Amino acid sequence: MRTGDPLPPVEDVLAALATGLWRWDNRAGLVTFDAEAARLVGLPATATTLTEAGARARFHPVDWNEIDGVVRLAVAEGTLAEARLRIMDDQGHVIRTVRSRSKPVMHGDAPDSYELIGTLQEVAEPPPGASSRTPVTGDWRRSREAFLLDAGRALAEADSTSEVMRVAAGLSMPGFSPDGLAVFGVAGDRLTVIGHHGHQPGAEGPFTDMDLATDYPAAEVVRTGRAVYLSSPEEYRRRYPAAWPLAARFNRQSWAFLPLVVAGRTIGAWMAGFAYPVTFTPDERSVLTTVARMLAQALSRSWVAESERELTDGLQKSMLPTLGPEIPGMTIAARYVPTGGGLQVGGDWYDMIPLPNGRIALVIGDVQGHDVRAAGLMGQLRIALRAYASEGHRPDAVLSRASRFLNGVVENQADQLGARFATCLYVEADPLSGTLEIARAGHPDPAIRTADGTVLMRPTAGGLPLGIDPDADYPTTRLVLESGETLLICTDGLIETGGHDFDSGWARIRTTLETGPADELEELADALVQAVHGPSSHHTTGPLADRREDDIALLLLRRTAEARAVPAARRTAMTIAQAEPERIATARQQLRELLHDWADEDQVDSAVLMVSEMVTNVLVHTDGDALLVAEVSSACAGPRRLRVEVADASDDLPHKRRPGELASSGRGLVLMELLAQKWGVDPRGEGKSIWFELYEPDAGPEAEAGPGPGPVSRETGSSGESSGASEPSGA
């Protein structure tokens, strides 16, 4: 060929170099070979077009799978696809090895709509035992496949961000392992560091909060969704001069920044830094890309799991009550352990309700089901029970009303809830006498551990589960909890979990009650849960919760030994009818007799004045009678308390007024606000009750203020201005 002659056709030049051209149209599913490429793949030396299936038959099946992954990587990164491929004859024998280099050309935005145009060139097989990082069979490929299998399994089992980072830090890639890792997340338009490994504490500082527009490789990866490979410090300095000073101090030689993509959305970036030069061959990029995909999926799962755990904790905290203040003469402990899976919320619950008569109600129940609907129905039922109890109803009436309420809710939402019911146990406890009044709706009976450690199941009368029959009756059983005795009420999850039936499960719980801590109620509660599921906390989540077959709720109530020294309360009660206003004087006299040994005469006068005002208001502003109940309770270590209630059948709540100087009424609640240390108005099932409390001043600092102006303590939610309580017009 002489100078100035025209160049020969490209195909002739490539053929002279034993290099063929081929084109793979992924849209049409066709592969076209020129004459030299056809010869190299074992076909006659003439241009030909094959289907993908026909082309696949010319290559070793392992290598075809390999080239498919290499091509997808090149399409994703916009780089060349390079691979070694073994050519097979019709009898399945390898006739030669070729090297393929191709460039993907995208058609539109669809990820699977592309065309590859490349070359095929025959190459010599590497000698046996030679190290190779190209996609040919050998030790490197087998170790890579084993590595990816192990990495995928470990990342799939990680259930938290910290666990994912721990697994990522322990990955040892075959033939090349990074000495530093960092995972970046996206928060709005900021790049943040989620976790890192191989760096000194605090080294992540400059990278923890970066603008996505920053000239930093990880930021570019998040913006574009494409990987960035930097094989040398010179390349890093040339491409990212602004970020190079931050990276230079780590003394690394190569870096790979890969996008973390889930469902087509880039959620962050992964940085792998190497202390030695890495050329990032297609095989190495393939391994890094595969790990990045697995890492993205693991992080996405862990974030979902952590969000669910946060939601679970929030639901539990909103649905489960605090146990409130200490109860004189009694101690109480409670546990709730959700079932495993999902949001870990269900239909079990417990509650502790202060009652208008100074007693407390303990409630435990189980709505059928272990799903969000059961949890929502439980929340509604719990609120209804609390409302009925706060109105002052007896235990049987509370459950009857709750059953009617639940039946109505289920009927109105039958298409969503299906057939639902709930079991429940309601205990009204008198802290002074230890009397327990129990109503039961299809729930397991309570158990009592006596002072000497004997455990007895206490059979109680009961009715149908709530929600089945709106007219069901619930008889009441009265027990007395003696000093040193402990009451256990629980849901069936504590008894029947672990393949136990009721009898064998109860035997297990009974043994724990008998041998558990005798003095510390909290430790006994932990021991009961541990007997079923192992170590627990007040609210358990995580791997332990995943083994649970049913929710667990339990309440322990112990009457302390000091309760023996608590004298019985004394009380008086009388009804003042509309036609007997003269009995107001009798009421005043009875109250003075009840307080005959009260230390502060001014408080006695204040109490008599308030009772007179309360009863008079009922007779003047309602059409019914007034029921007066006054009780003086004694305590071992605190002040004596006077509690007076006046109830009537009117639903009209009183309105506090500002009477003028010459007004003849309207001062009732004003007087109570000045004279009482606690007061309030409680709606009842039929009517209302207005009450006040006084404490002897010589028994404790809380009562030293005595009657008269000064700080006034009111019950929240049902008293004074805080509850909207007020006095009838004209009072």
Side-chain angles (χ1 to χ4, degrees):
M1 182 175 171
R2 292 173 302 187
T3 303
D5 289 345
L7 292 174
V10 174
E11 292 82 355
D12 295 343
V13 174
L14 293 176
L17 299 175
T19 301
L21 289 174
W22 64 279
R23 183 177 69 184
W24 178 4
D25 189 343
N26 189 54
R27 298 171 299 171
L30 299 176
V31 183
T32 300
F33 300 93
D34 71 357
E36 181 63 18
R39 184 190 70 80
L40 289 173
V41 298
L43 297 172
T46 181
T48 186
T49 299
L50 302 177
T51 64
E52 285 189 13
R56 184 187 307 120
R58 312 308 304 173
F59 298 93
H60 193 289
V62 173
D63 295 350
W64 180 267
N65 293 335
E66 189 74 36
I67 189 62
D68 184 65
V70 171
V71 167
R72 291 183 181 276
L73 176 64
V75 169
E77 297 182 350
T79 57
L80 290 178
E82 300 183 53
R84 285 176 180 260
L85 303 164
R86 287 166 294 176
I87 306 301
M88 312 291 291
D89 62 15
D90 294 336
Q91 286 73 42
H93 300 132
V94 176
I95 58 175
R96 65 176 56 88
T97 299
V98 299
R99 184 179 69 172
S100 169
R101 299 188 71 193
S102 58
K103 174 70 176 179
V105 178
M106 302 299 298
H107 296 287
D109 297 330
D112 291 331
S113 180
Y114 59 85
E115 188 177 15
L116 286 172
I117 301 174
T119 62
L120 290 177
Q121 188 176 34
E122 185 171 3
V123 296
E125 278 281 5
S131 174
S132 175
R133 293 181 180 176
T134 56
V136 296
T137 55
D139 293 340
W140 192 87
R141 172 179 286 158
R142 285 192 291 271
S143 63
R144 185 193 66 174
E145 291 173 351
F147 160 74
L148 292 177
L149 183 63
D150 291 342
R153 184 184 301 112
L155 287 171
E157 294 174 353
D159 63 350
S160 66
T161 302
S162 59
E163 182 67 11
V164 171
M165 291 304 304
R166 187 193 65 78
V167 172
L171 296 179
S172 179
M173 300 182 192
F176 69 113
S177 294
D179 74 324
L181 304 173
V183 174
F184 299 88
V186 181
D189 61 350
R190 312 296 294 179
L191 192 69
T192 62
V193 176
I194 296 174
H196 62 91
H197 173 71
H199 308 91
Q200 294 296 325
E204 76 282 4
F207 307 94
T208 53
D209 185 20
M210 303 179 71
D211 193 298
L212 279 180
T214 302
D215 184 27
Y216 179 64
E220 179 180 321
V221 166
V222 173
R223 292 195 306 268
T224 65
R226 294 184 178 276
V228 171
Y229 298 101
L230 304 170
S231 299
S232 66
E234 292 74 22
E235 184 178 6
Y236 197 130
R237 186 186 305 110
R238 175 178 56 83
R239 294 181 59 180
Y240 303 96
W244 169 246
L246 297 176
R249 58 196 179 98
F250 295 104
N251 297 318
R252 295 199 172 101
Q253 300 301 309
S254 299
W255 299 259
F257 293 85
L258 297 103
L260 300 175
V261 181
V262 177
R265 183 173 65 92
T266 302
I267 63 172
W270 174 47
M271 186 278 290
F274 299 84
Y276 53 89
V278 179
T279 58
F280 297 114
T281 65
D283 292 308
E284 291 167 342
R285 297 202 313 269
S286 178
V287 171
L288 290 168
T289 301
T290 303
V291 173
R293 290 196 191 105
M294 293 188 296
L295 186 60
Q297 293 292 334
L299 285 172
S300 179
R301 286 193 303 269
S302 70
W303 292 344
V304 170
E306 288 168 354
S307 296
E308 288 182 349
R309 283 194 287 270
E310 289 179 6
L311 179 57
T312 297
D313 291 342
L315 283 173
Q316 291 176 4
K317 290 176 181 178
S318 64
M319 290 182 174
L320 294 177
T322 57
L323 294 182
E326 294 184 0
I327 306 168
M330 288 185 169
T331 56
I332 188 170
R335 294 292 183 272
Y336 172 72
V337 185
T339 188
L343 293 180
Q344 299 182 356
V345 293
D348 289 26
W349 89 96
Y350 65 82
D351 206 348
M352 171 181 163
I353 308 169
L355 300 178
N357 58 8
R359 298 183 177 188
I360 61 166
L362 301 179
V363 189
I364 198 161
D366 182 1
V367 175
Q368 178 193 19
H370 305 110
D371 53 19
V372 175
R373 288 190 177 93
L377 194 58
M378 175 270 286
Q380 296 180 66
L381 181 58
R382 175 175 167 252
I383 292 171
L385 277 161
R386 177 171 277 268
Y388 297 139
S390 298
E391 288 179 349
H393 297 295
R394 303 285 297 164
D396 55 342
V398 170
L399 292 192
S400 294
R401 284 166 166 77
S403 183
R404 191 175 301 114
F405 167 82
L406 183 60
N407 182 266
V409 171
V410 172
E411 284 187 352
N412 290 334
Q413 304 179 39
D415 56 332
Q416 300 178 13
L417 298 175
R420 300 267 184 162
F421 60 84
T423 65
C424 184
L425 186 71
Y426 183 96
V427 180
E428 182 177 312
D430 185 348
L432 297 179
S433 65
T435 301
L436 308 177
E437 296 188 15
I438 303 172
R440 188 169 59 87
H443 203 81
D445 282 306
I448 289 182
R449 168 177 162 168
T450 62
D452 64 359
T454 303
V455 176
L456 303 171
M457 180 75 78
R458 297 303 297 264
T460 56
L464 293 171
L466 305 178
I468 294 179
D469 180 3
D471 299 318
D473 292 327
Y474 298 95
T476 300
T477 301
R478 177 172 292 186
L479 304 174
V480 176
L481 194 66
E482 301 293 345
S483 298
E485 292 186 340
T486 302
L487 171 77
L488 165 67
I489 57 177
C490 65
T491 56
D492 56 5
L494 184 69
I495 301 173
E496 297 179 352
T497 294
H500 287 270
D501 59 18
F502 185 85
D503 291 334
S504 62
W506 163 241
R508 173 180 56 179
I509 297 305
R510 178 174 184 162
T511 299
T512 305
L513 273 176
E514 289 177 340
T515 59
D519 299 324
E520 293 296 331
L521 210 59
E522 295 289 342
E523 293 181 7
L524 180 58
D526 285 335
L528 287 167
V529 176
Q530 185 174 352
V532 179
H533 287 302
S536 71
S537 62
H538 291 208
H539 305 296
T540 304
T541 57
L544 177 61
D546 293 339
R547 302 200 303 269
R548 305 224 152 78
E549 304 162 23
D550 197 0
D551 300 344
I552 292 176
L554 68 91
L555 274 169
L556 292 170
L557 177 69
R558 173 173 293 166
R559 194 171 182 215
T560 58
E562 291 80 3
R564 292 193 185 97
V566 179
R570 59 177 187 252
R571 61 163 46 191
T572 183
M574 63 181 297
T575 299
I576 299 96
Q578 282 282 334
E580 300 175 315
E582 65 277 4
R583 285 177 60 83
I584 296 177
T586 305
R588 291 196 293 262
Q589 181 59 32
Q590 284 199 14
L591 184 60
R592 287 192 179 277
E593 292 176 356
L594 188 72
L595 300 175
H596 68 92
D597 58 350
W598 197 261
D600 191 329
E601 286 296 331
D602 289 338
Q603 282 190 327
V604 175
D605 292 338
S606 297
V608 170
L609 176 58
M610 286 188 285
V611 165
S612 182
E613 287 286 340
M614 293 160 64
V615 174
T616 300
N617 280 341
V618 172
L619 299 185
V620 171
H621 298 290
T622 74
D623 297 329
D625 301 336
L627 173 62
L628 168 67
V629 178
E631 180 180 87
V632 175
S633 57
S634 299
C636 308
R640 287 198 300 174
R641 182 193 68 174
L642 168 67
R643 182 181 176 91
V644 177
E645 294 186 43
V646 175
D648 62 76
S650 172
D651 292 328
D652 294 332
L653 296 179
H655 299 277
K656 188 167 68 173
R657 303 173 58 200
R658 297 185 180 277
E661 184 177 347
L662 301 179
S664 60
S665 61
R667 296 184 174 85
L669 296 189
V670 175
L671 284 174
M672 293 183 66
E673 190 169 66
L674 291 172
L675 301 177
Q677 289 169 300
K678 290 184 180 180
W679 66 277
V681 179
D682 295 330
R684 297 295 182 87
E686 295 178 356
K688 63 180 178 298
S689 169
I690 184 168
W691 56 270
F692 70 84
E693 292 180 358
L694 292 174
Y695 297 85
E696 272 192 304
D698 59 348
E702 180 185 3
E704 288 178 1
V712 179
S713 175
R714 304 188 191 91
E715 296 288 345
T716 59
S718 63
S719 62
E721 295 174 312
S722 61
S723 66
S726 47
E727 190 169 351
S729 176

